[in-house]
Amino acid sequence: MRRHYIVPAILLLLTLIYFPLRDYSVLEPKQLQTILVFIALFLMLAMEYRHRTVASLTSLLILWFLGILKGEDMIHYLDLDVLGLLFGMMVIVETLREARFLSMLVRVLISLGFRKIYHLTIILSLFTFITSAFLDNATVMLIIIPMTLGICETLNLGRVAVPVLIALSISSNLGGALTPIGDPPNIMAYSYLRISFIGFILNIGPPTLLIYAISLVAIMTLFRREMVLEIRDKNNKDKLKIEKNSFLIISILTLVFVLLLFLLQDLTKISPSTSALYGATFLMIIGGRRMAPILREVNWDLLIFLGSILIFSGSLEKVGILHLLAQIISKSTHGNPHILITLIAWLSSLISALVDNIPYAAVMIPVVDELVGLTGCHKLWWVFLLSVGLGGIATPIASVPSLLTYSALRDKFGLKFLEFMKIGLLMWIILTLSLNLYYLL
């Protein structure tokens, strides 16, 4: 109950300190207002003072009331590609669950005979890392999360699923950094780099693989008690029987078709969100009465919350805060490559831990291009791209994989925001330090 008094008191304090800060701060009033509203939002999310959707929508209402965001701004910053992709894949995955495809997949994986929890973690982590390099990591996590929870439930593993899913979330974020098509920041930077697809992988691959290996070792160490537990399948073999039906076959073929459209995007010119919505619409048409319970299982509050966070990140871009940070990086290092590497590694990952990395990357990419031209230090590109990816593991709102993982763990095991963030921040420090040292030594 203490948080019901502490949070309002801190919110009142933030309101009161605005006036003296406005008079003495170098920031413009709208920049200061946006920062204070962001602090208030993050505080409410961390303390779980109100439901996350209510907190995020309230923050947008305040920004609108202050005149920082207009209705057209909210529509502009609402990334319908991200939301459309998530909604479409949610429908497809829930349809596969209804058709018992995920149950079948779970039994196939269990039949491989994992002896220890770390065996299971390594196999699922490698799968997530590799697929996230070539497919949108939101799609990968929407498939891998229910599959992993199904495995853990079938094997009666309970909360052991927590470190396993956190490892998969980190693997997805790192896998997205491996190729030019893995993450939006990589896609945006690729046009500036003037390098081949293979050349991109050869440059960013070694540090990414090293950091991925360090992340696995760190997870194994942090959760060593859980990782050495033996897996015993006490379930009845009758569960191996999966009823085959036409709806199951159609659902699997639809998923395969959508994944092929993802891979052939350059040829078809069909965006991933459109491909996912094609598949979802087709299943809704043929699903008939089955679709009503399936649509009820779609995580609507997650979609609303993510949309709110995307709009809020846009507000930070609109008032010039992200541009201001880019200028600080550019001017404070005086062109020293070692200072630049360190500052970009830590500051970029920190900012990406707090806001969506797409608007930040859009602002920073021209700055990094200019810094590379001035210093001749091409390593700055790889430090920047890896750091914005690493920021995605620090907090539950830092990236879509982290948000999806946190949502699943909160709903299934009651994991708190701060519990997730404590693990995420520790991993962020370890991996960002590894990145920093790799490029300095």
Side-chain angles (χ1 to χ4, degrees):
M1 292 297 291
R2 289 177 60 192
R3 63 183 176 179
H4 293 291
Y5 300 101
I6 294 173
V7 175
I10 297 176
L11 295 179
L12 178 61
L13 178 63
L14 289 173
T15 305
L16 293 175
I17 65 172
Y18 164 72
F19 297 101
L21 285 175
R22 181 187 59 183
D23 296 332
Y24 297 102
S25 175
V26 295
L27 298 174
E28 296 177 4
K30 289 191 182 299
Q31 291 177 331
L32 186 56
Q33 289 167 1
T34 306
I35 290 173
L36 290 175
V37 174
F38 176 76
I39 293 171
L41 171 61
F42 199 85
L43 176 69
M44 286 191 287
L45 292 174
M47 300 290 288
E48 300 187 357
Y49 176 65
R50 289 289 184 270
H51 191 280
R52 60 184 179 178
T53 305
V54 175
S56 58
L57 290 176
T58 302
S59 68
L60 294 184
L61 181 63
I62 293 171
L63 292 180
W64 173 80
F65 180 76
L66 293 172
I68 296 169
L69 284 178
K70 299 178 181 178
E72 53 267 32
D73 294 325
M74 295 187 185
I75 294 172
H76 174 71
Y77 291 120
L78 187 65
D79 195 332
L80 295 178
D81 281 336
V82 173
L83 296 179
L85 174 65
L86 271 180
F87 171 72
M89 290 310 300
M90 281 179 178
V91 172
I92 293 171
V93 170
E94 288 300 330
T95 303
L96 289 168
R97 191 205 303 271
E98 179 72 15
R100 300 196 67 192
F101 171 71
L102 293 181
S103 299
M104 181 175 67
L105 207 54
V106 164
R107 297 305 302 169
V108 169
L109 286 171
I110 290 172
S111 68
L112 296 177
F114 300 112
R115 298 297 182 94
K116 303 276 188 180
I117 297 298
Y118 70 83
H119 295 153
L120 176 67
T121 305
I122 291 171
I123 293 297
L124 292 177
S125 173
L126 278 170
F127 172 79
T128 305
F129 178 77
I130 294 168
T131 52
S132 293
F134 299 98
L135 295 175
D136 184 88
N137 51 20
T139 301
V140 175
M141 292 306 289
L142 282 170
I143 295 172
I144 200 73
I145 286 173
M147 191 171 74
T148 305
L149 287 174
I151 292 172
C152 293
E153 188 174 336
T154 303
L155 298 175
N156 302 312
L157 298 180
R159 283 183 67 90
V160 172
V162 173
V164 177
L165 279 176
I166 289 175
L168 301 188
S169 174
I170 294 170
S171 301
S172 183
N173 278 297
L174 290 174
L178 189 61
T179 66
I181 60 173
D183 262 343
N186 289 23
I187 295 170
M188 290 187 285
Y190 189 50
S191 60
Y192 280 82
L193 284 166
R194 296 176 290 277
I195 193 173
S196 68
F197 189 96
I198 298 299
F200 186 100
I201 296 174
L202 290 176
N203 277 280
I204 207 170
T208 305
L209 292 170
L210 176 63
I211 292 169
Y212 168 67
I214 292 171
S215 74
L216 276 181
V217 172
I219 286 289
M220 300 294 172
T221 305
L222 287 172
F223 297 96
R224 52 190 175 276
R225 291 183 181 177
E226 291 87 346
M227 290 297 163
V228 297
L229 291 176
E230 290 193 11
I231 296 175
R232 295 184 179 89
D233 185 6
K234 300 177 182 178
N235 293 273
N236 207 318
K237 289 187 177 180
D238 292 339
K239 290 187 177 180
L240 286 168
K241 296 179 180 178
I242 303 296
E243 182 183 353
K244 295 181 180 180
N245 56 68
S246 58
F247 189 55
L248 171 63
I249 296 170
I250 292 172
S251 300
I252 294 172
L253 290 176
T254 302
L255 174 64
V256 172
F257 176 71
V258 170
L259 294 179
L260 281 174
L261 286 179
F262 287 170
L263 294 173
L264 299 175
Q265 180 186 352
D266 289 339
L267 295 175
T268 63
K269 306 301 180 186
I270 300 174
S271 68
S273 59
T274 304
S275 302
L277 290 172
Y278 281 161
T281 303
F282 174 71
L283 289 174
M284 284 190 280
I285 291 171
I286 67 156
R289 294 180 180 178
R290 298 185 186 92
M291 295 312 298
I294 289 172
L295 289 174
R296 280 196 292 270
E297 291 300 317
V298 170
N299 201 334
W300 296 103
D301 76 285
L302 176 62
L303 291 171
I304 297 170
F305 175 67
L306 179 59
S308 303
I309 293 297
L310 291 171
I311 295 171
F312 203 106
S313 296
S315 72
L316 294 171
E317 178 187 0
K318 182 186 177 184
V319 299
I321 292 172
L322 298 181
H323 184 68
L324 184 64
L325 288 168
Q327 287 182 321
I328 291 170
I329 292 174
S330 179
K331 292 178 180 178
S332 62
T333 59
H334 306 292
N336 186 306
H338 297 297
I339 299 175
L340 270 173
I341 286 170
T342 301
L343 190 60
I344 287 176
W346 288 98
L347 191 57
S348 294
S349 61
L350 178 61
I351 294 168
S352 298
L354 299 174
V355 300
D356 180 55
N357 61 16
I358 296 174
Y360 174 68
V363 172
M364 273 298 294
I365 282 171
V367 177
V368 174
D369 189 47
E370 185 178 343
L371 289 172
V372 169
L374 290 172
T375 63
C377 182
H378 291 276
K379 292 189 289 187
L380 293 177
W381 277 117
W382 317 117
V383 174
F384 170 70
L385 292 174
L386 278 169
S387 64
V388 295
L390 288 177
I393 71 177
T395 67
I397 62 169
S399 65
V400 174
S402 294
L403 183 57
L404 290 171
T405 303
Y406 166 65
S407 297
L409 292 175
R410 187 199 60 176
D411 295 341
K412 189 75 175 177
F413 304 108
L415 190 76
K416 300 294 184 184
F417 188 98
L418 289 176
E419 288 180 284
F420 186 97
M421 196 166 76
K422 182 172 68 174
I423 301 166
L425 284 174
L426 181 57
M427 293 298 299
W428 168 71
I429 291 170
I430 293 170
L431 299 183
T432 306
L433 181 61
S434 303
L435 170 68
N436 197 179
L437 291 174
Y438 178 88
Y439 280 104
L440 287 179
L441 298 178

